[in-house]
């Protein structure tokens, strides 16, 4: 019976995690559509200090969608292991990218499509090989886990590292090194997820009729969660304000997910009863998602589609019978670029060339 209940909870958590990604990914599109509608009307934009978006129903729909998604994500931690829920958060990026290509006319290039496919495949592999965490039904059990020597050492190290980064490293290198603020968010995020797991148990107990708020751990978890989330939001906003979003997002995802997986493995012993094949499958799925997110963000400004792919891999006219070109594409391309005309343009055998982000692409 307990095993059946565990599977039932697992599928509830999985459903909540996927629906959370759909709602959160869709919320960005709704908000963006609302802001674009305001821009067409000539209203003062939010970036200029305007608040006309408060009268736009699409923006409010996006805000509600975001709230529903975050609530679903919060609830997912109460049913499924954090090792599964946290990596699936990458699906919100995928949903946002796909919807933006349809509703915001933003082109999803070949790298992005491959990245989306890899994210889906990686998520599927992680679901198949997801670990089963130890059953924690009551706050007393959660208290004993939080007081486990292994977790106490881990939490102490996290707090020490965070304080050193905030008060010593941050003021000196935070403005120039992208890893400083992201690391602060990530290590603190591991503790915030632990607090969310504890509060999930609290909420389940509340619905079961238990007097959970008489337990001091409930209030400790609430205060700790507010502190951790506030710190995360503060330093993530700093990172986004200073550095390129296409760099911050994938790096933060990797650091944050790695921290959560480490914390969850120590606190809930999720890896203790896993076979070698499941361990390899989980890590393979995680790495596949990382590669997918990287492709989706790092090359989003590169104009590469299936239509112009054959132009990007042009071959020399002289091709031997076995299909190997006599000259490499790069040698030919370099020779073409050196043939500059007197007016400063390029003589590429009547092909047009555009420079974008420091790269040369044949149109």
């Amino acid at each position: 019976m307990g095993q059946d209940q565990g599977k039932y909870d697992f599928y509830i958590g999985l459903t909540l995690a996927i629906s959370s990604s759909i709602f959160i990914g869709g919320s960005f599109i709704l908000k963006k559509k609302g802001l674009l509608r305001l821009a067409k009307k000539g209203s003062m934009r939010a970036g200029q200090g305007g608040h006309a978006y408060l009268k736009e129903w699409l923006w409010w729909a996006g805000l509600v969608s975001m709230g529903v998604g975050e609530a679903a994500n919060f609830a997912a931690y109460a049913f499924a292991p954090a090792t599964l829920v946290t990596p699936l958060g990458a699906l919100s990026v995928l949903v946002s990218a796909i919807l933006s290509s349809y509703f915001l006319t933003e082109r999803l290039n070949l790298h992005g499509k491959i990245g989306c496919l890899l994210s889906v495949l990686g998520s599927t592999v992680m679901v198949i090989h997801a670990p089963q965490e130890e059953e924690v039904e009551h706050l007393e059990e959660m208290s004993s886990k939080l007081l486990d020597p292994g977790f106490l050492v881990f939490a102490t190290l996290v707090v020490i590292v965070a304080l050193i980064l905030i008060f010593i490293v941050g003021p000196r290198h935070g403005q120039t090194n992208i890893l400083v603020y992201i690391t602060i968010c990530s290590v603190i995020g591991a503790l915030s997820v632990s607090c969310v797991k504890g509060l999930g148990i609290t909420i389940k107990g509340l619905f079961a009729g238990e007097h959970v708020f008489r337990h001091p751990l409930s209030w400790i978890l609430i205060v700790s969660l507010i502190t951790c989330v506030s710190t995360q939001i503060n330093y993530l906003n700093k990172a986004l304000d200073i550095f390129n979003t296409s760099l911050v997002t994938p790096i933060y995802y990797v650091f944050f997910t790695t921290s959560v997986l480490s914390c969850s493995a120590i606190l809930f012993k999720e890896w203790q009863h896993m076979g070698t094949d499941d361990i390899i499958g989980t890590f393979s799925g995680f790495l596949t998602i990382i590669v997918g997110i990287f492709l989706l963000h790092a090359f989003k400004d590169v104009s590469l589609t299936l239509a112009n792919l054959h132009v990007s891999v042009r071959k020399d006219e002289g091709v031997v019978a076995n299909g190997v070109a006599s000259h490499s594409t790069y040698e030919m391309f370099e020779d073409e670029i050196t043939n500059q005309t007197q007016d400063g343009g390029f003589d590429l055998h009547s092909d047009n060339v555009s420079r974008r982000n420091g790269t040369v692409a044949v149109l």
Side-chain angles (χ1 to χ4, degrees):
M1 183 67 180
Q3 186 176 3
D4 292 338
Q5 182 63 36
K7 289 184 177 180
Y8 181 70
D9 288 347
F10 176 84
Y11 288 119
I12 290 178
L14 176 61
T15 303
L16 288 170
I18 294 175
S19 62
S20 169
S21 296
I22 294 174
F23 278 109
I24 293 176
S27 70
F28 294 112
I29 308 304
L30 290 172
K31 286 183 177 180
K32 185 70 174 180
K33 289 283 287 185
L35 294 174
L36 290 175
R37 285 181 58 173
L38 290 174
K40 290 181 179 179
K41 295 177 182 178
S43 303
M44 182 178 291
R45 306 186 68 165
Q48 300 172 340
H51 297 88
Y53 58 86
L54 295 176
K55 299 179 181 179
E56 176 57 54
W57 70 270
L58 271 176
W59 186 88
W60 281 105
L63 184 64
V64 171
S65 179
M66 175 70 76
V68 172
E70 292 295 348
N73 187 64
F74 181 93
Y77 283 106
F79 294 95
T83 304
L84 173 68
V85 177
T86 303
L88 287 181
L91 293 179
S92 63
V93 180
L94 182 149
V95 171
S96 178
I98 294 176
L99 292 180
S100 63
S101 66
Y102 283 99
F103 297 103
L104 299 178
T105 64
E106 295 180 1
R107 175 176 291 184
L108 187 63
N109 62 15
L110 184 60
H111 297 94
K113 292 175 181 177
I114 295 175
C116 290
L117 178 61
L118 289 176
S119 297
V120 172
L121 292 177
S123 300
T124 303
V125 172
M126 289 207 69
V127 170
I128 294 174
H129 295 280
Q132 297 294 326
E133 65 185 5
E134 290 185 356
E135 293 292 333
V136 181
E137 299 291 340
H138 305 286
L139 286 176
E140 288 76 13
E141 298 176 56
M142 187 68 184
S143 298
S144 63
K145 287 189 173 296
L146 291 174
L147 294 175
D148 182 81
F151 179 76
L152 288 177
V153 171
F154 175 82
T156 302
L157 289 175
V158 165
V159 172
I160 292 174
V161 169
L163 291 176
I164 291 175
L165 290 173
I166 291 173
F167 294 106
I168 299 178
V169 181
R172 297 177 181 177
H173 307 288
Q175 300 290 322
T176 56
N177 193 325
I178 190 173
L179 297 180
V180 176
Y181 292 149
I182 291 179
T183 304
I184 294 173
C185 298
S186 301
V187 296
I188 294 297
L191 297 182
S192 67
V193 169
S194 302
C195 295
V196 169
K197 291 286 292 185
L199 287 176
I201 296 170
T202 302
I203 294 173
K204 290 173 70 175
L206 182 64
F207 284 115
E210 301 176 9
H211 300 289
V212 291
F213 289 110
R214 294 180 182 177
H215 200 293
L217 180 60
S218 299
W219 299 104
I220 293 175
L221 290 173
I222 291 174
V223 173
S224 300
L225 180 61
I226 293 174
T227 303
C228 291
V229 171
S230 301
T231 304
Q232 281 182 266
I233 293 174
N234 178 41
Y235 285 97
L236 183 59
N237 284 336
K238 286 185 177 183
L240 290 171
D241 185 51
I242 298 171
F243 303 102
N244 194 314
T245 305
S246 62
L247 292 176
V248 173
T249 302
I251 294 175
Y252 176 62
Y253 171 79
V254 174
F255 277 46
F256 173 73
T257 306
T258 303
S259 299
V260 171
L261 294 182
S262 303
C263 179
S264 185
I266 295 172
L267 182 61
F268 295 104
K269 310 294 190 297
E270 295 175 347
W271 305 82
Q272 196 170 31
H273 305 292
M274 290 180 66
T276 305
D277 55 340
D278 288 329
I279 294 176
I280 295 174
T282 300
F283 277 110
S284 298
F286 179 46
L287 291 175
T288 304
I289 295 175
I290 291 174
V291 174
I293 295 297
F294 177 77
L295 288 175
L296 190 60
H297 280 274
F299 300 102
K300 66 180 182 179
D301 291 327
V302 178
S303 181
L304 179 63
T305 63
L306 287 174
N308 61 20
L309 180 61
H310 69 284
V311 181
S312 302
V313 290
R314 298 174 60 196
K315 296 181 179 180
D316 193 288
E317 293 180 359
V319 180
V320 296
N322 61 3
V324 179
S326 58
H327 298 285
S328 70
T329 302
Y330 298 103
E331 290 175 350
M332 180 197 69
F333 203 49
E334 184 179 0
D335 291 340
E336 290 177 341
I337 293 178
T338 56
N339 296 327
Q340 296 186 0
T341 59
Q342 294 181 353
D343 58 357
F346 291 100
D347 182 13
L348 297 184
H349 307 304
S350 301
D351 288 333
N352 294 323
V353 174
S354 66
R355 287 186 174 270
R356 190 172 187 181
N357 296 331
T359 62
V360 179
V362 181
L363 300 179

